[in-house]
Amino acid sequence: SGEIDDDLFYMHDGTGEFRGIACYMPGEPTPVQEGDLVTFCGRVSEYYGLTELTRHFEGSMVIESSGNPHYGFTDVTTAQVTYNNLTSEPYEAQLIRVTDATVTLESGAYGIWYCADSSILNAKVDDEIYYTYDPEVGDLLEELRGVLLYDYNEYKIQPRSDDDILGPPRISDIRYSPVPPAAGVTTTISATLDDNVGISTATLHWSLSEARPYPNTVSMSESSGEWSADIPGQSAGTRVYYYIDCTDASGMDAERPSVGGYSYYVGTTTIQSVQEVPPGGDASPMDTLAVNVEGYVTAAPGLFNDNSFYIQEASGAWHGIMVYDGSGTLSFERGDYVVCCGEVGEYFGMTELSLHFPGAAKIVPARGDMVEPASIATG
């Protein structure tokens, strides 16, 4: 199976019920690859309800050969592998396949999403292994493949890669340029579109209002797997909303997002306009809106965690904000002057700017003096 943990892998010896098992390698793990034929000697145990083989010692497993095809997928309904029923136990750790399923719940904070076939009952799908597919309610999945995991008292299907998810085209890496969008300058929207049978057409829809339908449509063109289209320049302070839809060679459609639209802001605004609230207030007056702000980095990525950093435009109240980067890949240093483009949100009462994509924050020429600490009373 695909990589979940360095010391754990899954294998099967055929299709059908009770043919798969988790294999745990304490000590120094032996590197294994999908397609290895393995002889594994160990002790059977129950790890929080997951039946697994624990290796006796490092030499008690042998990789007999590599590059072998697996024994095939065990075809199941979502009712047979529903997350909260012990009737799913026969398929634990097995390589399974669900066909003609519909996404019924989108992924939340923990990356779990739901789908159901004609049996109506939901199966849960996990994201412990990386894949680019971003599920949305109503997506039709021709096939969903993966290993049936058991953890946190639930059964969950774990796709091993995008190859295990056959259905609508995948729309990912949506971004715009320039950063930030500038007054009167054309903004280019681009995205990576991918599919097992190829993309036929893609369309960009845009509007100055989030409410659909959007009055403007532009055909997207493709170059090396990247599709793009232009939105005419707008005046400073404008928010532009957009979404992308596409169709693959088999006629299956995809749309991101399925409700409303992504958005961007033209020009820049002040951090103070995002942060300042009336006495006794807490939530930003721009909560949920796209904005672009700039300032000096006062706490760099990695100081508190890889996903957040802080910027400030001036000394005194209302002038600082936390910036959230979901990728955790940015490497600014304290004192860098950066512009950040994203959406304002309230995270458990903490006003933050969530970047639209990693490249939506970049170093620009400073437009003011370096921020000095403000002297305040502890009260």
Side-chain angles (χ1 to χ4, degrees):
S1 68
E3 183 176 320
I4 297 177
D5 297 300
D6 291 339
D7 56 4
L8 183 72
F9 67 92
Y10 290 78
M11 66 179 184
H12 68 174
D13 61 4
T15 58
E17 298 181 353
F18 303 112
R19 303 302 294 268
I21 195 163
C23 298
Y24 172 59
M25 301 174 288
E28 183 66 27
T30 300
V32 293
Q33 302 292 327
E34 185 178 330
D36 287 349
L37 178 64
V38 178
T39 298
F40 194 97
C41 303
R43 177 175 54 85
V44 178
S45 61
E46 289 290 327
Y47 183 74
Y48 293 99
L50 171 66
T51 303
E52 65 178 21
L53 277 176
T54 300
R55 186 178 62 180
H56 283 146
F57 49 90
E58 291 178 15
S60 69
M61 62 174 284
V62 178
I63 300 176
E64 308 286 359
S65 61
S66 300
N68 304 289
H70 56 69
Y71 291 101
F73 298 98
T74 298
D75 288 308
V76 296
T77 67
T78 55
Q80 289 175 294
V81 292
T82 189
Y83 57 94
N84 58 355
N85 198 320
L86 284 178
T87 58
S88 303
E89 178 70 17
Y91 304 102
E92 177 189 86
Q94 181 59 293
L95 190 61
I96 61 172
R97 175 171 58 191
V98 170
T99 56
D100 298 327
T102 301
V103 175
T104 56
L105 184 69
E106 298 171 23
S107 55
Y110 298 102
I112 306 295
W113 49 282
Y114 294 45
C115 68
D117 57 15
S118 58
S119 68
I120 302 176
L121 291 180
N122 283 312
K124 282 190 176 183
V125 188
D126 211 342
D127 70 341
E128 289 191 36
I129 298 176
Y130 178 76
Y131 51 84
T132 62
Y133 173 63
D134 182 17
E136 295 212 4
V137 172
D139 281 356
L140 300 177
L141 304 179
E142 181 181 342
E143 292 187 17
L144 175 64
R145 310 162 177 170
V147 176
L148 188 67
L149 308 185
Y150 183 79
D151 58 8
Y152 297 100
N153 300 313
E154 294 180 330
Y155 299 94
K156 289 168 282 195
I157 303 171
Q158 177 58 67
R160 299 163 299 169
S161 69
D162 278 318
D163 291 338
D164 278 338
I165 305 171
L166 304 181
R170 294 180 289 272
I171 303 175
S172 61
D173 198 19
I174 299 173
R175 55 208 180 279
Y176 51 77
S177 64
V179 171
V185 176
T186 295
T187 300
T188 299
I189 306 296
S190 59
T192 299
L193 309 185
D194 185 33
D195 189 80
N196 58 304
V197 296
I199 305 296
S200 296
T201 62
T203 304
L204 171 68
H205 305 254
W206 68 274
S207 174
L208 301 184
S209 170
E210 188 175 14
R212 294 196 188 185
Y214 288 3
N216 308 292
T217 60
V218 186
S219 295
M220 303 184 76
S221 57
E222 185 266 344
S223 177
S224 301
E226 180 175 284
W227 294 70
S228 63
D230 293 339
I231 296 177
Q234 306 294 318
S235 59
T238 302
R239 288 185 177 86
V240 179
Y241 297 85
Y242 64 94
Y243 68 92
I244 295 171
D245 66 28
C246 65
T247 304
D248 68 13
S250 65
M252 296 196 77
D253 301 319
E255 184 177 277
R256 294 294 181 273
S258 59
V259 178
Y262 301 116
S263 62
Y264 64 84
Y265 182 82
V266 178
T268 58
T269 188
T270 64
I271 294 174
Q272 182 173 3
S273 66
V274 176
Q275 286 283 34
E276 189 167 11
V277 296
D282 179 41
S284 167
M286 295 187 181
D287 187 21
T288 75
L289 297 179
V291 299
N292 308 326
V293 296
E294 56 187 34
Y296 286 99
V297 174
T298 55
L303 182 63
F304 299 115
N305 58 70
D306 291 339
N307 298 103
S308 67
F309 60 99
Y310 290 75
I311 65 172
Q312 190 168 327
E313 62 193 1
S315 297
W318 310 116
H319 293 305
I321 195 168
M322 187 186 87
V323 182
Y324 176 76
D325 162 39
S327 74
T329 60
L330 298 180
S331 56
F332 300 126
E333 297 181 357
R334 187 171 66 184
D336 287 343
Y337 193 86
V338 298
V339 63
C340 300
C341 309
E343 185 174 284
V344 178
E346 292 291 334
Y347 185 73
F348 293 98
M350 175 74 167
T351 302
E352 66 176 21
L353 182 71
S354 180
L355 294 179
H356 285 144
F357 48 93
K362 68 176 187 179
I363 296 175
V364 295
R367 293 177 175 82
D369 296 330
M370 177 72 78
V371 173
E372 296 295 333
S375 179
I376 60 173
T378 57

